[in-house]
Amino acid sequence: MASRSTDPSPRGPSGSPTVDAVSLAIIEQLQEDGRRPYAAIGKAVGLSEAAVRQRVQKLLDQGVMQIVAVTDPLTVGFRRQAMVGIDVEGDVDPVADAVAAMPEAEYVVMTAGSHDLLVEIVCEDDDHLLEVINKRIRALPGVRSTESFVYLKLKKQTYMWGTR
């Protein structure tokens, strides 16, 4: 007799967990208010508080979502943000890993386009940004060039894309 998987989580073609409509509704509730009580979420999605708690924990354990406090960098002492395009010679993975390990790097993505990597950097000021780009990123083996896009004003930042 063939053995069956004990993992009840359906998987998509890429091997990542798939998320059903109820879990998406839970995610949407948490995106609106990350502190919303499980009882209120349950009422909105038609589940018990315990069932919501279990689903949320499963989504967290699978890495489908995180629950975090999002700050405005300006209000907590970070006066300079920039997107940095990085061009790499050879394997992009080691450079991506090294940049991702930097505390100033908030977002690191490998791309198919003008740059091999796009990195969002959050710094205290222009001197700090210069140090990160010039002394740390450009010093990494394999980095061929960088292009910086300094943020002048943030017009929109949302995290609601996970349920549209």
Side-chain angles (χ1 to χ4, degrees), residues 109-121:
V109 62
M110 297 168 77
T111 66
S114 299
H115 301 289
D116 298 307
L117 295 171
L118 288 178
V119 180
E120 185 175 41
I121 303 290

Side-chain angles (χ1 to χ4, degrees), residues 69-92:
V70 178
T71 62
D72 175 351
L74 288 173
T75 64
V76 292
F78 297 101
R79 307 229 178 277
R80 180 57 67 214
Q81 291 178 270
M83 183 66 68
V84 179
I86 303 173
D87 299 329
V88 176
E89 291 182 33
D91 190 357
V92 177

Side-chain angles (χ1 to χ4, degrees), residues 39-157:
I41 295 171
K43 188 173 184 179
V45 303
L47 293 177
S48 69
E49 178 180 352
V52 170
R53 184 181 322 280
Q54 288 175 340
R55 280 192 180 239
V56 167
Q57 190 58 55
K58 183 177 175 182
L59 292 166
L60 294 168
D61 291 345
Q62 291 176 331
V64 171
M65 69 173 193
Q66 299 174 0
I67 300 172
V68 298
V70 178
T71 62
D72 175 351
L74 288 173
T75 64
V76 292
F78 297 101
R79 307 229 178 277
R80 180 57 67 214
Q81 291 178 270
M83 183 66 68
V84 179
I86 303 173
D87 299 329
V88 176
E89 291 182 33
D91 190 357
V92 177
D93 276 317
V95 176
D97 291 342
V99 173
M102 296 178 184
E104 295 87 355
E106 295 295 321
Y107 176 83
V108 178
V109 62
M110 297 168 77
T111 66
S114 299
H115 301 289
D116 298 307
L117 295 171
L118 288 178
V119 180
E120 185 175 41
I121 303 290
V122 178
C123 294
E124 295 167 12
D125 53 31
D126 287 338
D127 289 336
H128 185 195
L129 178 63
L130 179 61
E131 185 266 329
V132 170
I133 293 170
N134 197 42
K135 303 286 186 199
R136 293 169 48 205
I137 293 175
R138 288 183 180 155
L140 292 171
V143 171
R144 184 174 58 236
S145 63
T146 63
E147 182 176 8
S148 301
F149 304 90
V150 175
Y151 297 0
L152 298 176
K153 185 175 184 179
L154 179 64
K155 292 298 273 186
K156 180 179 181 181
Q157 181 173 347

Side-chain angles (χ1 to χ4, degrees), residues 17-45:
T18 57
V19 180
D20 67 13
V22 174
S23 291
L24 284 174
I26 291 170
I27 292 168
E28 186 175 303
Q29 291 285 311
L30 289 168
Q31 284 178 322
E32 289 174 8
D33 179 358
R35 295 175 45 180
R36 184 165 288 154
Y38 291 153
I41 295 171
K43 188 173 184 179
V45 303

